[in-house]
Amino acid sequence: MPDIQPHLFVIFGATGDLTKRKLIPALFHLMEDADVARRCVVLGAARSDWSDERFRESAREALLDNGYSEEAVAKWCTRNLFYQCLGEGGDDYEALRRRVDQLERHLDLPGNRAFYLSLPPPVYGPAIDGLGDVGLNESPGWTRVVVEKPFGNDLASAQALNERVHRHFDEDQVYRIDHYLGKETVQNLMAFRFGNALFESIWNREHIERVEITVSEDLGVGGRGGYYDQSGHVRDMVQNHLTQLLTLVAMEPPASMDANAIRQEKVKVLTSVQQPNPETDVVFGQYGAGTVDGEPVPGYRDEPDVPDDSDTETFAALRLNVANWRWQGVPFYLRTGKRLPTKLTQIAVRFQGAPVSLFQSDGQPCIPQDADCEARSNELLITLQPNEGFDLRFEVKAPGENENGTMELETQQLSFSYADAFGPVPDAYETLLRDIIVGDPTLFVRADEVEASWQLYAPLLDTDNAVHPYEAGTWGPEAVDRLLESWTSGGRSDP
Ligand code: BG6
């Protein structure tokens, strides 16, 4: 792995929640062991009139909450953290440029810079222009700009933002974040597929009946009602996180593990997926009041900052067809929602059954298409969170015989647990921040990739499709049965 070089890591939105919860702990943990830790400097920037001291204090709190020692934290904060106020308008980029120059001179930094935009999406464009206008898009070393999701809110706005970014930065300087790509188990999808010929040889329409991707959350929208109500679940989760999982499951083997070779294959998948028909391939839902984990919870419309008559979807289930030689005719079902019974990210691959089932309770062979045929198919469950691992389900003979004197089959599974094998998995942000600093764009979304995924969901973004109510703590509205009656991961009402 390339070494971390001395650099300045500038965080826009340094007084915000993401900085405190994710960025500061990840940077601290990364830098703790770097040989050049002294010369890896973080410069927070935001509108608030904070001092270096105030920023350090906020970081110190976050790090102590994460269990780091008082001494190590105090040293790092004093030596490595600085803050620059961007003025009331949040646009004093000249002041920022002067501070960057001054810190680099003073701390003997080589001019390597990352600018992380942890900002509300409407401010991405102005911040990019601001950096370009004062010349912060160039430096004596490397310069990288990191843009959080959502990148645009439809195809046109994503294209416009890409154009704006490219006015000031080359594509290889741009790191579009989707934190799902930093999850160890998501990256492992590639290792699993392309490191094991066993599965790859049956990973196609000849052997797979369907693929289900479930990303369920037990949480509601919490304090983010204002943002979420404008966005909805397709924009918040489907266009990015679920689509990334889909591309990793469906892509062809890349020519190499080079970033562009991989991203090329992902774009190819996205452009093969047919746009879903809002009426037949999609079910939207919105949670009402209910019970999650034994606690009563309010309905979506009663959450702070959500209008009483909102028809924003908090749940989406989709059927997608990947129209290429590998997948044509294999349905990909995507299901995701807030306030479902449990937090679970899982990919279920159902293989085709035996052509003739010999093990029926009445002793008569049947074919799986027959209504009363009891044949069961093999399934592979890839769990990305929590309890990361795999389960491969297969049929075994249960001991003894049934009352008709025939053999009875029972489903059992072979299981692999990530935690048992390797201990706790690293945090996604730490992986991604390291990649930004060492200049590896593999786990970031390329310009054409983000546009292809907005294009794919265009018919769903402003549809007036019905949004079906569901009770919090269930697996979504009953209308989901229209797409798929029995999901492998969890039941509709029964986790
Ligand atoms: C974010 C969404 O991108 O991902 C949130 O904006 C969602 O609404 C979150 O809760 C889920 O991430 P994770 O890592 O907890 O599955």
Side-chain angles (χ1 to χ4, degrees):
M1 205 184 292
D3 284 340
I4 290 180
Q5 298 170 345
H7 65 276
L8 187 63
F9 198 98
V10 181
I11 305 176
F12 287 89
T15 54
D17 184 53
L18 184 75
T19 304
K20 206 166 171 175
R21 244 176 352 100
K22 294 288 182 188
L23 304 183
I24 289 290
L27 285 168
F28 174 77
H29 195 224
L30 271 176
M31 299 313 163
E32 223 183 359
D33 299 328
D35 296 340
V36 289
R38 174 178 288 282
R39 293 166 71 217
C40 295
V41 175
V42 179
L43 175 61
R47 286 165 189 238
S48 306
D49 189 16
W50 281 17
S51 59
D52 289 345
E53 260 332 300
R54 176 86 196 272
F55 181 51
R56 288 171 186 155
E57 188 46 38
S58 154
R60 208 178 70 87
E61 271 170 28
L63 292 170
L64 295 181
D65 283 353
N66 273 265
Y68 293 113
S69 86
E70 179 92 46
E71 196 194 339
V73 165
K75 184 169 151 209
W76 185 72
C77 290
T78 319
R79 195 185 61 184
N80 295 57
L81 297 193
F82 300 87
Y83 181 84
Q84 176 63 43
C85 169
L86 293 173
E88 272 177 30
D91 55 1
D92 195 348
Y93 293 95
E94 278 297 346
L96 180 70
R97 192 183 52 76
R98 286 194 298 275
R99 189 76 197 276
V100 167
D101 288 345
Q102 180 246 330
L103 283 173
E104 286 182 345
R105 259 197 328 273
H106 186 65
L107 300 169
D108 186 25
L109 304 182
N112 295 329
R113 300 166 188 165
F115 295 98
Y116 194 113
L117 309 189
S118 173
L119 294 168
V123 202
Y124 294 159
I128 302 264
D129 286 344
L131 288 171
D133 291 345
V134 299
L136 280 173
N137 51 345
E138 288 175 352
S139 68
W142 48 254
T143 301
R144 296 172 188 142
V145 62
V146 188
V147 189
E148 263 292 339
K149 77 162 254 283
F151 193 93
N153 60 9
D154 58 14
L155 176 60
S157 56
Q159 283 169 331
L161 187 55
N162 272 333
E163 254 172 52
R164 205 158 169 183
V165 170
H166 291 150
R167 250 180 262 152
H168 305 287
F169 294 92
D170 295 333
E171 177 61 20
D172 63 7
Q173 294 180 284
V174 187
Y175 288 67
R176 293 175 196 78
I177 285 224
D178 180 318
H179 80 276
Y180 265 54
L181 287 173
K183 290 181 193 277
E184 197 72 15
T185 42
V186 173
Q187 294 172 63
N188 189 46
L189 278 173
M190 274 192 284
F192 177 78
R193 284 197 51 203
F194 307 130
N196 295 291
L198 171 64
F199 285 104
E200 194 49 28
S201 56
I202 52 171
W203 209 253
N204 56 44
R205 60 197 296 271
E206 304 294 331
H207 300 280
I208 291 181
E209 184 185 302
R210 68 177 196 235
V211 177
E212 300 167 34
I213 301 178
T214 296
V215 180
S216 79
E217 292 181 272
D218 49 356
L219 296 178
V221 294
R224 298 163 73 226
Y227 148 77
Y228 189 89
D229 200 63
Q230 296 298 312
S231 154
H233 215 64
V234 171
R235 287 185 169 92
D236 188 50
M237 295 292 290
V238 177
Q239 178 270 338
N240 35 72
H241 305 324
L242 277 94
T243 303
Q244 287 297 331
L245 299 182
L246 165 78
T247 54
L248 292 169
V249 171
M251 71 192 264
E252 293 300 314
S256 70
M257 289 306 282
D258 169 75
N260 272 329
I262 292 172
R263 297 192 294 180
Q264 200 57 31
E265 295 304 333
K266 289 169 72 191
V267 173
K268 264 169 64 188
V269 173
L270 287 176
T271 49
S272 304
V273 183
Q274 295 176 313
Q275 284 188 330
N277 176 334
E279 273 158 35
T280 52
D281 298 327
V282 179
V283 173
F284 284 158
Q286 186 189 78
Y287 63 85
T291 307
V292 176
D293 269 340
E295 296 289 325
V297 295
Y300 175 69
R301 292 180 182 183
D302 293 323
E303 300 279 16
D305 303 323
V306 173
D308 296 345
D309 58 352
S310 166
D311 59 3
T312 297
E313 82 285 357
T314 63
F315 173 97
L318 288 80
R319 177 177 41 224
L320 295 175
N321 184 38
V322 184
N324 63 18
W325 280 45
R326 187 189 280 264
W327 293 114
Q328 170 54 35
V330 178
F332 280 71
Y333 293 99
L334 274 51
R335 178 181 56 163
T336 174
K338 300 270 185 204
R339 287 289 191 221
L340 301 187
T342 188
K343 178 150 180 85
L344 177 71
T345 302
Q346 193 168 66
I347 298 168
V349 179
R350 171 166 312 194
F351 293 94
Q352 287 179 12
V356 176
S357 169
L358 301 175
F359 303 101
Q360 299 303 292
S361 38
D362 62 4
Q364 297 303 311
C366 66
I367 58 170
Q369 289 77 5
D370 292 346
D372 49 1
C373 190
E374 296 158 19
R376 279 186 294 257
S377 306
N378 297 124
E379 286 163 346
L380 174 68
L381 298 184
I382 305 173
T383 307
L384 305 167
Q385 58 182 11
N387 308 327
E388 294 82 355
F390 304 138
D391 300 289
L392 180 63
R393 291 183 179 163
F394 55 92
E395 300 300 293
V396 296
K397 178 187 175 302
E401 293 179 338
N402 69 17
E403 67 263 21
N404 299 328
T406 59
M407 216 190 260
E408 188 140 348
L409 298 192
E410 197 177 285
T411 306
Q412 290 290 330
Q413 58 190 26
L414 281 172
S415 298
F416 158 75
S417 150
Y418 230 83
D420 289 352
F422 301 114
V425 291
D427 178 70
Y429 272 92
E430 193 173 320
T431 304
L432 295 174
L433 295 189
R434 187 186 167 91
D435 285 354
I436 294 161
I437 295 166
V438 301
D440 180 354
T442 312
L443 301 178
F444 298 83
V445 185
R446 215 168 59 181
D448 51 347
E449 192 177 346
V450 78
E451 290 181 14
S453 79
W454 281 119
Q455 161 93 38
L456 168 60
Y457 298 112
L460 307 190
L461 296 179
D462 299 305
T463 164
D464 49 11
N465 251 23
V467 177
H468 303 273
Y470 62 95
E471 191 183 327
T474 68
W475 284 97
E478 283 179 17
V480 170
D481 291 358
R482 181 157 64 69
L483 289 184
L484 183 61
E485 213 169 314
S486 71
W487 292 74
T488 309
S489 312
R492 203 164 35 70
S493 52
D494 181 23

